[in-house]
């Protein structure tokens, strides 16, 4: 009952918090209509120069957008497949060293990416993959977070379903693709969304593994936002926000369920 | 599938198609608005004693804005562009040794290749490293 005191005050406080959270996005959208001279809360002169430059005048920005999109699709597809298979293995099979292996997965998940950057570079260099997109996609596919998430999600499926399927003659793959994955839609949605955002925002990996600036994704360009025309930079920011927002609106109902299922607190 | 998901899919699909069209158009506009340059095919005839001195047409000499040398030559090079190969201008710093012999100037500078395409005229000013449209790539002399 005490939480129902001062409802208007609490509402005003929450609105002001939401405003501060949304402020950078609003600022980017507003400044994408700037004539490019300086950042401002409200641009002194409105212009579509940024949109003309990014969408029509130069193909460089859209090339980076497509680079980002192709990389993200490859990483999300690969990581989803690998995570489902590995999560299934950890969740439903008994084998020696299973707990130790899963503990190692969790340890690797806790490591910052920079820890393995040099060793990854050396391995990829030996494989002759530095300079190609495989250098970005391959390490990202084998994500310990995805394995952990999918194992937790698969663990929530009652054994009775699986036993019934096995009695009907279903093999392991049939059980995975016909029972576990359809029952884990919310977990998969979380995995797809979080992986996409992670891949969409990567900056260090392209800088380290790629040599040709034309191969860089949009995130690398956005990380250098302190240089250049304000209108162009903010238009690129808007462009970068669109796929993530669309994906979020598509999966928002599943996201909370998926994270709750994985028991991440 | 809920109505919201269908709407998001439609919006996403339409945006992707629009961005694909914009990519195609921007590539065309980019190439259409590049500075057009015409080149002189420089063929090296130097001997080892004077390999750093050569004669080039007067119109190939451009002022150097940085004062690090007397003048600049620009040669056309090819590189990977955003969606396809593109030509660009690369500057070469040279010092002028002797002027005005049959419209040619003797300069000293880095060794040029046996065949170099030196820019002699342009439609719009360009900078070092900037992409250009090479109007006479097949012209030999």
């Amino acid at each position: 009952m005490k939480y129902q005191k001062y409802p208007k005050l609490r509402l005003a406080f929450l609105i002001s918090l939401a405003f501060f959270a949304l402020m950078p996005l609003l600022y980017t959208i507003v400044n994408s209509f700037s004539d490019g001279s300086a950042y401002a809360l409200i641009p002194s002169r409105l212009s579509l120069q940024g949109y003309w430059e990014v969408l029509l005048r130069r193909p460089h920005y859209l090339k980076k957008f497509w680079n980002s999109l192709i990389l993200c699709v490859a990483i999300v597809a690969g990581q989803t497949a690998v995570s489902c298979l590995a999560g299934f293995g950890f969740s439903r099979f008994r084998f020696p060293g299973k707990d130790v292996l899963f503990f190692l997965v969790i340890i690797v998940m806790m490591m910052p990416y920079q820890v393995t950057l040099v060793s990854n570079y050396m391995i990829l260099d030996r494989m002759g993959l530095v300079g190609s997109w495989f250098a970005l996609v391959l390490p990202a596919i084998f994500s310990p977070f995805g394995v952990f998430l999918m194992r937790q999600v698969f663990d929530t499926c009652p054994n009775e379903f699986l036993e019934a399927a096995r009695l009907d003659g279903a093999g392991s793959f049939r059980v995975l693709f016909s029972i576990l994955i359809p029952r884990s839609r919310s977990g998969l949605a979380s995995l797809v969304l979080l992986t996409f955002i992670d891949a969409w925002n990567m900056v260090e990996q392209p800088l380290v593994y790629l040599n040709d600036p034309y191969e860089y994704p949009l995130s690398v360009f956005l990380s250098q936002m302190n240089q250049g025309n304000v209108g162009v930079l903010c238009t690129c920011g808007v462009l970068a926000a669109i796929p993530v927002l669309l994906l979020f609106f598509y999966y928002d109902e599943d996201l909370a369920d998926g994270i709750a299922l994985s028991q991440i607190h | 599938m809920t109505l919201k998901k269908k709407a998001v899919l439609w919006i996403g699909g339409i945006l992707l198609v629009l961005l694909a069209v914009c990519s195609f158009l921007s590539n065309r506009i980019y190439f259409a608005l590049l500075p057009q340059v015409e080149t002189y095919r420089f063929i090296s005839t130097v001997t080892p004693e004077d390999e750093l001195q050569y004669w080039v047409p007067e119109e190939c000499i451009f002022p150097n804005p940085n004062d690090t040398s007397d003048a600049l030559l620009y040669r056309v090079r090819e590189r990977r562009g955003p969606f396809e190969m593109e030509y660009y201008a690369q500057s070469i710093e040279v010092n002028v040794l002797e002027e005005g012999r049959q419209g040619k100037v003797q300069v000293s500078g880095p060794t040029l290749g046996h065949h170099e395409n030196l820019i002699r005229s342009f439609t719009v000013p360009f900078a070092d490293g900037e992409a250009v449209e090479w109007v006479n790539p097949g012209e030999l002399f």
Side-chain angles (χ1 to χ4, degrees), chain A residues 138-204:
Chain A
L138 277 182
I141 280 178
F142 300 98
S143 157
F145 174 72
V147 177
F148 172 76
L149 184 77
M150 291 319 293
R151 183 226 159 136
Q152 299 298 92
V153 170
F154 289 155
D155 273 351
T156 60
C157 182
N159 264 332
E160 289 76 17
F161 283 102
L162 276 68
E163 282 163 10
R166 285 194 195 282
L167 280 175
D168 285 343
S172 294
F173 278 97
R174 181 82 176 174
V175 166
L176 174 65
F177 290 107
S178 299
I179 306 225
L180 282 175
I181 289 179
R183 280 188 56 84
S184 311
R185 260 189 221 154
S186 51
L188 268 178
S190 310
L191 179 65
V192 167
L193 189 56
L194 296 174
T195 307
F196 188 90
I197 292 170
D198 200 30
W200 191 258
N201 293 332
M202 66 181 168
V203 174
E204 298 105 326

Side-chain angles (χ1 to χ4, degrees), chain A residues 68-101:
Chain A
S68 288
L69 201 64
I70 293 166
L71 277 171
C72 284
V73 168
I75 289 171
V76 168
Q79 196 180 123
T80 306
V82 168
S83 300
C84 282
L85 291 171
F88 180 50
F90 278 120
S91 174
R92 300 292 164 180
F93 286 89
R94 288 184 188 162
F95 52 91
K98 177 180 151 181
D99 292 335
V100 176
L101 265 180

Side-chain angles (χ1 to χ4, degrees), chain A residues 19-41:
Chain A
F19 179 75
F20 278 113
L22 286 173
M23 190 63 199
L25 184 62
L26 292 174
Y27 203 64
T28 303
I29 292 170
V30 168
N31 276 282
S32 69
F33 295 101
S34 152
D35 66 343
S37 50
Y39 282 104
L41 198 56

Side-chain angles (χ1 to χ4, degrees), chain A residues 201-204 207 217-227 233:
Chain A
N201 293 332
M202 66 181 168
V203 174
E204 298 105 326
L207 284 173
L218 196 58
S219 49
V220 173
F221 174 71
L222 290 174
S223 70
Q224 297 152 357
M225 262 193 135
N226 54 341
Q227 310 151 9
L233 291 169

Side-chain angles (χ1 to χ4, degrees), chain A residues 14-72:
Chain A
L14 290 175
I15 287 173
S16 62
L17 275 185
F19 179 75
F20 278 113
L22 286 173
M23 190 63 199
L25 184 62
L26 292 174
Y27 203 64
T28 303
I29 292 170
V30 168
N31 276 282
S32 69
F33 295 101
S34 152
D35 66 343
S37 50
Y39 282 104
L41 198 56
I42 298 166
S44 54
R45 276 168 46 193
L46 293 177
S47 161
L48 287 174
Q49 182 66 28
Y51 286 93
W52 157 251
E53 191 77 15
V54 170
L55 297 178
L56 289 169
R57 174 63 185 88
R58 289 178 187 278
H60 302 68
Y61 309 107
L62 285 173
K63 166 74 174 164
K64 290 179 200 303
F65 173 84
W66 292 115
N67 289 349
S68 288
L69 201 64
I70 293 166
L71 277 171
C72 284

Side-chain angles (χ1 to χ4, degrees), chain A residues 56 63 66 214-215 250 252, chain B residues 4-5 8 23 26 80 82:
Chain A
L56 289 169
K63 166 74 174 164
W66 292 115
Y214 282 129
E215 298 296 325
Y250 189 81
D252 63 342
Chain B
K4 192 184 93 177
K5 286 193 173 186
V8 171
S23 302
S26 64
R80 210 173 148 199

